Amino acid sequence: MGWKTRSLALTPLILLATACSSQPPRDTVVEIPCEKFSAEAGDQVKITRSVSVEQGDHVIVRLCTNPSTGFAWEDAIISTPTVLAERSREFIPPGVTMPGSAGLDQWTFEAIGKGVCTMALSYSRPWEGGEKGVWLFELEVTVD
């Protein structure tokens, strides 16, 4: 069998291997702007959301934050670390660079195992005597 015949015989196998390769992770974004937290009534605001993702996908959470107020989102609490893992956290500055403008905190989580878990965040003034849990965010994540 010549090299041309072998190449033609291997082409379907290469195409099949490419088609069966794993897909890149998909991103599911949950964003809560300041207006949503401000529009809720009461002294303590709790917003709850839920998402369903596939194992290996990313869940990106963006929440309003304003460091100039002294408030900050505390570390994420993940109920089942075998289902969801935090991969990164970053601050996204406001589009308008005006003193006191709010930006977004962004977390990227990876769905590492099948199951259901809850991820919770609390917006507080971290120092002793500061207000705790003024805004609460809870996300239920189902990983298939």
Side-chain angles (χ1 to χ4, degrees), residues 61 73-79 84-86 88-89 107 109 118-122 137:
V61 176
W73 288 101
E74 296 180 15
D75 291 338
I77 298 171
I78 299 171
S79 67
L84 194 68
E86 184 176 335
S88 67
R89 180 179 179 180
W107 293 260
F109 299 93
T118 302
M119 185 279 304
L121 292 161
S122 177
F137 177 74

Side-chain angles (χ1 to χ4, degrees), residues 37-103:
F37 281 106
S38 299
E40 302 290 332
D43 294 335
Q44 187 178 54
V45 177
K46 180 178 181 181
I47 295 178
T48 304
R49 297 286 187 271
S50 61
V51 296
S52 293
V53 297
E54 298 290 323
Q55 191 170 347
D57 287 352
H58 296 145
V59 177
I60 297 172
V61 176
R62 296 181 187 135
L63 301 177
C64 170
T65 188
N66 192 338
S68 68
T69 64
F71 282 91
W73 288 101
E74 296 180 15
D75 291 338
I77 298 171
I78 299 171
S79 67
T80 313
T82 57
V83 172
L84 194 68
E86 184 176 335
R87 296 299 183 218
S88 67
R89 180 179 179 180
E90 64 181 297
F91 175 71
I92 300 172
V96 178
T97 54
M98 181 188 265
S101 295

